[in-house]
Amino acid sequence: MTEETDPMSLHATIHVYSGRPNPQWQLTFDEWSQLNQLIVKLPKITENGLGPYQFSGRLGYSGFSAHFPAVSSYPDIYYVAQHQQAVLSNPGGHIIYNDKEKSIEKWFKDSANAHGISLPI
């Protein structure tokens, strides 16, 4: 199940499917802020100035992302399941954080459940 999302609104996505739409739901600005606050408390692994982050092309569950297209100064947020990492990304580069406790993944799962999104993982 996917909520109807405005393409210019803040939204979250679980990256799990290949060839069909991934489940999405809208986020509030308060949810976005809460997620950012959780991430910046994690241990920083590295900063990369080589452009925005992208998931690898592997099949199956890759993780989650949050995107706010209307305001380009806000970074995209990724949770990379394979490496248990959170990533803040913008066109100029990205910062990778260690999330061995999977707190960001749990936040995304709880958010999806709160929005009535059934997760296929």
Side-chain angles (χ1 to χ4, degrees):
M1 179 179 183
T2 298
E3 282 185 3
E4 288 295 318
T5 58
D6 175 349
M8 293 308 287
S9 71
L10 183 60
H11 63 273
T13 304
I14 177 173
H15 298 270
V16 69
Y17 297 130
S18 174
R20 63 184 204 193
N22 287 307
Q24 289 188 340
W25 61 99
Q26 286 190 291
L27 298 174
T28 66
F29 186 76
D30 286 342
E31 290 171 314
W32 178 268
S33 296
Q34 179 187 57
L35 181 56
N36 271 291
Q37 289 171 8
L38 286 173
I39 290 173
V40 298
K41 292 177 184 174
L42 296 171
K44 187 187 300 185
I45 296 173
T46 187
E47 290 190 41
N48 180 327
L50 301 176
Y53 180 82
Q54 294 182 1
F55 278 119
S56 68
R58 66 176 252 211
L59 297 176
Y61 172 56
S62 297
F64 293 88
S65 64
H67 182 61
F68 198 1
V71 182
S72 62
S73 63
Y74 290 164
D76 288 340
I77 297 171
Y78 296 89
Y79 175 76
V80 185
Q82 181 181 13
H83 303 292
Q84 297 172 334
Q85 296 172 339
V87 180
L88 296 179
S89 176
N90 63 40
H94 53 275
I95 304 169
I96 301 174
Y97 297 86
N98 186 353
D99 188 20
K100 295 298 181 194
E101 301 297 318
K102 300 183 179 184
S103 61
I104 304 306
E105 181 181 51
K106 181 182 180 327
W107 186 95
F108 274 110
K109 287 179 177 179
D110 290 347
S111 174
N113 287 333
H115 286 270
I117 302 298
S118 171
L119 298 178
I121 57 171

